[in-house]
Amino acid sequence: MTSSTKRNASGDTGDGDGNLLVDGVVRIPGGIGDPARVRRAGAFDAWLRGLLPEREGIALVAVGGLGRRQCSPCGDLDLVLLHAGVAGVDELAASLWYPIWDAGVRLDHSVRTLAEALSVAQDDVKVALALLDARFVAGDRALADTLTRTATDHWRRTAVRQLPALREITEVRWRTHGELAFLLEGDLKEAAGGLRDVGILRAIATAGITDALRPAVRAAHLRLLDTRDALHQQVGRRVDRLVAQERAGVAALLGLRQSVAEATETGARAEAGDGDALLRRVAGDARTVSHALDDAWRAADRLRSGRRRGADGRPLRRPVARDVVEHDGELVLARTAIGARPDPSLSLRIAAAAATTRLPIARATCEWLAAYCPPLPAPWPPAARSAFVTLLGAGPGLVPAWETCDRYGLVDGWLPEWTRLRSLPQHNPVHRFTLDRHLVQAAYEASRHTRDVERPDLLLIGAFLHDIGKGLDGDHSTVGAPLAEAVATRIGLPVEEAALIGTLVRLHLLLPDVATRRDLSDPKTVAGVAERVGDTTTLELLHALVLADAAATGPAAWSGWKGRLIAELVARVRTTLDTGVVPAPPDPDPALVAGPLPVVHLTDDRVSVAAADRRGLLATVAGCLALHRLDVISADAATVDDRALVECRVQPRYGLAPDPIALSADLRRAVTGDVSVTQRLRGRALAARSQGAAPRVVWHREAATDAVLLELRAADAAGLLYRVTCALDEAGAQVRAARISTLGGDVVDAFYLVGGWPSDEQRAHIEAAVLAAV
């Protein structure tokens, strides 16, 4: 907040006593919690009053956090200098703003007359909302009171008309920042369900449209404010995005600490904060805010449009499904469904209707279902199972319908496992969502592929359950398979179909792992996948599940090259399953096996080189590609007569393709032994060593037809492939093929080494050389 602010060992910002300094004189209290925020506001008020001379017709008004007395440790000041047309106001404003800037405080300011302030509020809904927080600080109180009273009265008269514009800009913000409840690194202020949305709820409540600030919302708001206070204190500056590396520290400041047992299990210090508990708490609070705002928007819509009525003057009711009708834009239960003993499948059927019609379920209906709908028997009746599949396959309506049911505890009644999965963080950096939202999103993404598979119902259920084993000890695919099979059995699937769901969960990573880490031209690779998959029905379900899982994970989980590799693997495995014969490896590019050497062919994602056979050719090509900032995804080396062939699939490291002329020239010089290129390669490679956790080498003796597989797991770094292939070459190992798989900041690089390498001593020598090169 200030230029004189410093971090101390306890994580507080200030002078060592947990205080913030303004201009080295005024002490602004630090700390977390509502009392600390009020103290900060009081200290700012006292300081600002000393900066503004008493003068009639001039008032200093605070809006934003100071206006609400909710000042965060490293927040800014939002001030309005209000005047009644007095002379010399610009000079007065300068004498006020400059001391604030000199103190290092961030400032958002304006100078307006009363008429100007109200006029801007009429034209700009965001300004109108800001003035609802306006609070007198210094100067002419009567002038400030006139502003706050008039702005509030105007908002109450016009809110119903202005809310559509407010909703439009709010939805733009949501699309930009996502949903705080489901993000692993969400913005506490701007994301849906964050602090900005509480301001909208406060505005709707001020307009008297609905009681938007219920006790649960107020409590969630205070906890979100506490989290932001702790984040500011942890980082030492204004920041609203709760990133993964700060979660533990923020949790510790909030008193959310790991137990000794948890710390021992994770290898952390016992006093470290429990970042997962913090993320779950934030998710729950954001859900509370989001649900309240959804209710408030609907109340405003009803007030603006009025109820639709029939010829008899009664509100219109339209049947949409068995026991479900639309009433006043919401779904409610038919009167006959309420009067009789409820059907256990009723909650699932109304959820499916909400998802398919994209209409909200009335709050009273959700509360009634939570109180009176009986539990589902095991196995589920056919009506419940059909409704569940309809819900999962509803497309865009799935997520809001699921969230509404989860809000009222209906999902826990369907799936007791959901309590463990709700808001569970995922620590892989490629994931953008918490686990529960990821599973629902995967089902939504799977609905896009239901026409591509023979059993769309099994695809939807498999996608929804594919990560059910996460959060438990062991490999989540292996652990999750029996759990998913048990859920499928409880849902009412036949034994063989439940077993297939278990197979989908157990193998849902098989295709991407093999496609990106193994040589697809090796018959043993294809035969191994075909043996594990078993039949084409399972293969097509796994392929569709991979597509849905990647789309639900986030943009970092997918790329065009990965899709092509998986499609190639699926095609080869399908041929094997259909014919019983493993397809032969593809022939080399004819252009590479004829003509004068060297030969260099470049396309958008492929580099092919033919040169006179010599040791280290693959390393030379890999280094040259790294020099031009190209990442190698896969590499194949072969020898035809006395001609060595190297083919690499590549992608630009920073998104910009290299100059093809310069790349081709460097490749030609490098493969013919030009010393100048080699020196550049070695200099660049030595300057870009891997960082992070210690690398490891894993050997796979039976993974290839004519080679042993060495798998390197290490932190990613430019030139890594060049250094490792050089080390393998110097150690006497011939690399037939390489597969590069990047997972966030780590890589899993697989090298096919020609020969069996049966000796422990030989393998140890190779392993030491590879690890030294990393």
Side-chain angles (χ1 to χ4, degrees):
M1 177 179 290
T2 74
S3 57
S4 55
T5 296
K6 61 183 179 180
R7 295 279 303 273
N8 59 38
S10 67
D12 291 338
T13 53
D15 63 352
D17 297 322
N19 295 327
L20 292 173
L21 304 179
V22 177
D23 205 20
V25 177
V26 180
R27 294 179 180 270
I28 303 299
I32 298 166
D34 205 45
R37 290 187 285 271
V38 173
R39 287 195 301 272
R40 279 190 287 272
F44 270 122
D45 285 356
W47 180 51
L48 293 171
R49 280 194 294 269
L51 296 178
L52 184 70
E54 288 292 336
R55 185 174 173 184
E56 187 176 352
I58 294 286
L60 184 62
V61 176
V63 294
L66 181 57
R68 297 186 298 272
R69 291 190 174 92
Q70 293 172 345
C71 298
S72 57
C74 298
D76 54 8
L77 295 181
D78 295 315
L79 300 174
V80 179
L81 186 62
L82 193 66
H83 67 97
V86 300
V89 69
D90 291 338
E91 293 78 7
L92 179 62
S95 69
L96 178 62
W97 306 147
Y98 276 100
I100 298 174
W101 287 324
D102 290 343
V105 179
R106 294 165 58 104
L107 174 65
D108 189 359
H109 62 91
S110 61
V111 180
R112 292 192 174 111
T113 64
L114 179 62
E116 289 170 344
L118 295 174
S119 176
V120 173
Q122 291 179 17
D123 297 334
D124 190 332
V125 66
K126 291 191 289 186
V127 174
L129 258 64
L131 290 183
L132 296 179
D133 297 327
R135 182 176 61 82
F136 167 77
V137 175
D140 189 335
R141 179 181 289 273
L143 183 62
D145 289 347
T146 301
L147 173 65
T148 56
R149 182 178 62 254
T150 306
T152 301
D153 290 345
H154 178 266
W155 172 254
R156 286 171 175 160
R157 292 194 309 272
T158 64
V160 173
R161 296 197 306 271
Q162 295 198 69
L163 283 178
L166 177 60
R167 188 170 187 173
E168 183 177 344
I169 61 177
T170 299
E171 289 175 347
V172 171
R173 170 169 55 82
W174 290 347
R175 287 193 292 272
T176 300
H177 295 281
E179 299 171 87
L180 180 58
F182 309 116
L183 294 172
L184 296 171
E185 294 187 336
D187 189 302
L188 296 170
K189 183 177 182 180
E190 302 292 348
L195 295 169
R196 184 78 74 184
D197 284 354
V198 178
I200 297 174
L201 285 171
R202 189 166 48 251
I204 293 174
T206 301
I209 294 172
T210 183
D211 181 18
L213 293 176
R214 296 188 291 272
V217 176
R218 294 178 187 273
H221 180 213
L222 291 177
R223 285 191 293 268
L224 288 173
L225 287 173
D226 290 349
T227 302
R228 185 174 66 172
D229 287 354
L231 179 59
H232 284 196
Q233 193 158 301
Q234 168 71 14
V235 178
R237 58 184 172 84
R238 179 185 175 181
V239 60
D240 294 323
R241 187 166 175 242
L242 182 60
V243 296
Q245 60 264 33
E246 304 295 351
R247 280 204 298 261
V250 172
L253 290 172
L254 293 171
L256 300 172
R257 300 184 183 277
Q258 283 183 312
S259 68
V260 174
E262 291 170 329
T264 300
E265 181 180 341
T266 60
R269 295 182 304 166
E271 67 270 20
D274 190 343
D276 286 5
L278 171 64
L279 196 61
R280 281 185 148 172
R281 192 177 86 168
V282 168
D285 292 337
R287 273 185 160 124
T288 298
V289 173
S290 291
H291 294 154
L293 189 52
D294 287 343
D295 288 344
W297 288 133
R298 289 201 295 272
D301 290 342
R302 287 194 297 270
L303 187 62
R304 185 175 65 255
S305 61
R307 291 188 170 186
R308 292 179 296 167
R309 298 181 180 274
D312 58 358
R314 301 176 65 181
L316 289 175
R317 293 170 64 90
R318 177 177 66 92
V320 297
R322 182 165 68 92
D323 296 329
V324 183
V325 298
E326 178 191 354
H327 174 77
D328 206 14
E330 296 178 328
L331 295 186
V332 300
L333 293 173
R335 297 183 181 93
T336 53
I338 296 176
R341 175 175 172 79
D343 177 356
S345 67
L346 188 56
S347 62
L348 271 167
R349 289 192 285 109
I350 197 169
T356 53
T357 62
R358 301 180 69 174
L359 290 172
I361 307 172
R363 175 181 173 184
T365 299
C366 291
E367 292 172 343
W368 188 92
L369 289 168
Y372 299 110
C373 189
L376 286 161
W380 290 4
R385 183 169 63 255
S386 176
F388 184 61
V389 172
T390 300
L391 172 62
L392 295 181
L398 166 61
V399 174
W402 188 274
E403 270 302 292
T404 298
C405 294
D406 197 17
R407 171 186 181 184
Y408 291 95
L410 302 180
V411 175
D412 290 348
W414 309 335
L415 301 163
E417 297 84 357
W418 199 249
T419 302
R420 177 179 62 82
L421 304 174
R422 184 181 292 111
S423 301
L424 186 67
Q426 303 196 79
H427 298 289
N428 190 310
V430 302
H431 278 278
R432 56 177 173 170
F433 291 135
T434 53
L435 179 58
D436 55 340
R437 175 57 186 274
H438 172 68
L439 295 177
V440 176
Q441 190 73 23
Y444 161 68
E445 300 292 348
S447 68
R448 303 172 184 267
H449 304 285
T450 51
R451 296 184 181 182
D452 303 329
V453 298
E454 183 179 341
R455 290 297 304 271
D457 55 336
L458 298 185
L459 171 61
L460 293 169
I461 295 172
F464 176 72
L465 297 175
H466 75 282
D467 275 348
I468 193 174
K470 283 189 174 178
L472 302 174
D473 292 337
D475 180 87
H476 76 279
S477 301
T478 304
V479 173
L483 298 178
E485 190 169 342
V487 172
T489 301
R490 190 167 71 244
I491 288 173
L493 294 181
V495 173
E496 62 277 8
E497 293 180 4
L500 179 52
I501 293 295
T503 298
L504 294 179
V505 172
R506 186 171 58 256
L507 301 182
H508 76 272
L509 296 178
L510 175 66
L511 296 181
D513 282 353
V514 171
T516 57
R517 300 182 188 180
R518 298 294 181 263
D519 180 9
L520 304 189
S521 65
D522 191 323
K524 199 162 189 175
T525 299
V526 177
V529 174
E531 182 179 2
R532 296 186 67 184
V533 171
D535 57 73
T536 55
T537 298
T538 305
L539 178 65
E540 68 180 16
L541 286 171
L542 283 172
H543 190 195
L545 176 53
V546 166
L547 300 176
D549 186 17
T553 297
W558 195 253
S559 62
W561 68 265
K562 188 173 184 178
R564 289 190 291 273
L565 287 175
I566 292 173
E568 179 183 342
L569 173 62
V570 169
R572 295 174 69 81
V573 172
R574 180 180 285 112
T575 299
T576 302
L577 292 171
D578 285 341
T579 65
V581 178
V582 178
D587 294 328
D589 184 349
L592 298 179
V593 296
L597 296 176
V599 179
V600 175
H601 286 168
L602 306 179
T603 63
D604 289 341
D605 64 349
R606 189 183 295 269
V607 174
S608 303
V609 176
D613 190 16
R614 65 179 180 84
R615 286 182 53 186
L617 185 63
L618 174 59
T620 301
V621 172
C624 200
L625 296 177
L627 197 62
H628 287 263
R629 297 190 173 115
L630 284 174
D631 285 336
V632 178
I633 298 159
S634 68
D636 292 290
T639 302
V640 177
D641 298 327
D642 293 330
R643 182 180 295 243
L645 313 179
V646 175
E647 294 190 74
C648 299
R649 295 189 182 187
V650 298
Q651 64 181 6
R653 175 167 283 264
Y654 302 113
L656 296 175
D659 179 0
I661 296 176
L663 173 60
S664 179
D666 273 353
L667 282 169
R668 291 177 183 277
R669 291 201 302 270
V671 299
T672 54
D674 189 311
V675 177
S676 63
V677 178
T678 305
Q679 289 175 339
R680 288 165 57 203
L681 297 183
R682 292 189 177 276
R684 180 70 61 87
L686 291 173
R689 293 284 174 172
S690 301
Q691 303 294 325
R696 16 178 336 233
V697 166
V698 179
W699 294 87
H700 300 274
R701 302 293 305 280
E702 305 297 331
T705 304
D706 59 349
V708 63
L709 189 65
L710 181 151
E711 196 171 77
L712 170 65
R713 302 175 184 180
D716 191 17
L720 178 63
L721 179 61
Y722 170 66
R723 295 197 303 273
V724 173
T725 48
C726 280
L728 289 169
D729 180 61
E730 291 169 2
Q734 179 184 349
V735 179
R736 175 175 65 76
R739 292 295 179 273
I740 314 303
S741 178
T742 303
L743 307 169
D746 292 336
V747 294
V748 179
D749 292 353
F751 299 92
Y752 285 77
L753 307 184
V754 176
W757 296 92
S759 165
D760 292 342
E761 183 179 351
Q762 289 178 317
R763 290 199 304 275
H765 174 63
I766 292 289
E767 184 173 332
V770 168
L771 293 177
V774 175

